[in-house]
Amino acid sequence: DIQMTQSPSSLSASVGDRVTITCRASQGISNYLAWFQQKPGKAPKSLIYAASNLQSGVPSKFSGSGSGTDFTLTISSLQPEDFATYYCQQQNSYPLTFGGGTKVESK
Amino acid sequence: EVQLVESGGGLVQPGGSLRLSCAASGFSISDHYIDWVRQAPGKGLEWVGRSRNKANSYTTEYAASVKGRFTISRDDSKNSLYLQMNSLKTDDTAVYYCARAYCNNINCLGIDYWGQGTLVTVSS
């Protein structure tokens, strides 16, 4: 199975900060990587597919990059509605696997 | 508007069975891969299984933790997907989400829509 490791597991940031979350795959997954945002008590929301493509309706402050084993999700200017937990998921091979999540909290 | 609505969750004893439903609207499930994803209380997301579309003969994939106990099926006439869960364990306690996979003709690249989830509690 492909292990997905996210770092950090949590971070504290302020409104307006640039935030970067890293996701590392235990083996190469090309660009078959998706990112999701989840707020407490809510279903996940899809942000990015194929490593760097925004889902429809997702604001451009979110961006994704990477290929192979190393990927990043960047929020260019953190807003109050962005405090949440973020997950990566590989779609390269079964079983599909998620990273452990990164909780973005207010500093 | 694309919507996925799960139902069927509840309290069940260890060893028992439960069937979850995922009713889709705004699209035809026969054209799409559909996933089940779960989240135990206070924990992260865990992929449970996938049902491929009609063009790929509705074949399925499962996580090792549920293989042999859970079965995904479909009723295209109702535009609905089901997760039959047997031999339930306390570790299966979670919110269960159905989600539409975002795929091109060759590969799946992510998930584009999620349901709101249904809670399954396995306890005596």
Side-chain angles (χ1 to χ4, degrees), chain A residues 43-99:
Chain A
K45 174 186 175 183
S46 298
L47 297 177
I48 287 172
Y49 67 93
S52 60
N53 297 273
L54 290 183
Q55 288 283 359
S56 176
V58 173
S60 58
K61 61 182 171 181
F62 292 97
S63 63
S65 65
S67 184
T69 60
D70 294 317
F71 302 86
T72 59
L73 172 70
T74 299
I75 309 171
S76 60
S77 178
L78 195 69
Q79 297 303 303
E81 63 270 20
D82 302 329
F83 293 106
T85 300
Y86 294 84
Y87 295 93
C88 61
Q89 185 202 31
Q90 65 85 14
Q91 293 265 346
N92 181 76
S93 62
Y94 298 103
L96 307 184
T97 45
F98 287 91

Side-chain angles (χ1 to χ4, degrees), chain B:
Chain B
E1 179 190 8
V2 170
Q3 281 194 320
L4 296 163
V5 179
E6 302 93 337
S7 61
L11 175 64
V12 60
Q13 292 187 338
S17 298
L18 206 59
R19 189 179 85 151
L20 306 183
S21 299
C22 171
S25 58
F27 72 101
S28 175
I29 66 164
S30 62
D31 295 331
H32 292 270
Y33 289 32
I34 306 292
D35 290 348
W36 285 97
V37 175
R38 69 184 180 183
Q39 187 169 37
K43 302 297 185 182
L45 300 172
E46 179 188 14
W47 177 78
V48 171
R50 168 170 283 178
S51 172
R52 295 183 180 87
N53 58 11
K54 185 176 183 179
N56 288 279
S57 304
Y58 299 134
T59 53
T60 53
E61 302 283 349
Y62 297 96
S65 58
V66 307
K67 195 169 186 178
R69 300 188 299 123
F70 290 11
T71 303
I72 300 172
S73 62
R74 294 175 176 243
D75 185 341
D76 286 353
S77 67
K78 295 183 178 180
N79 213 32
S80 293
L81 194 84
Y82 306 98
L83 180 66
Q84 177 67 43
M85 305 185 295
N86 298 331
S87 303
L88 282 162
K89 308 174 182 179
T90 55
D91 286 349
D92 296 319
T93 294
V95 174
Y96 285 74
Y97 299 99
C98 62
R100 191 178 83 169
Y102 184 79
C103 308
N104 58 24
N105 289 335
I106 303 171
N107 294 103
C108 290
L109 307 174
I111 290 172
D112 53 6
Y113 291 95
W114 296 76
Q116 85 289 349
T118 188
L119 176 62
V120 173
T121 303
V122 184
S123 175
S124 55

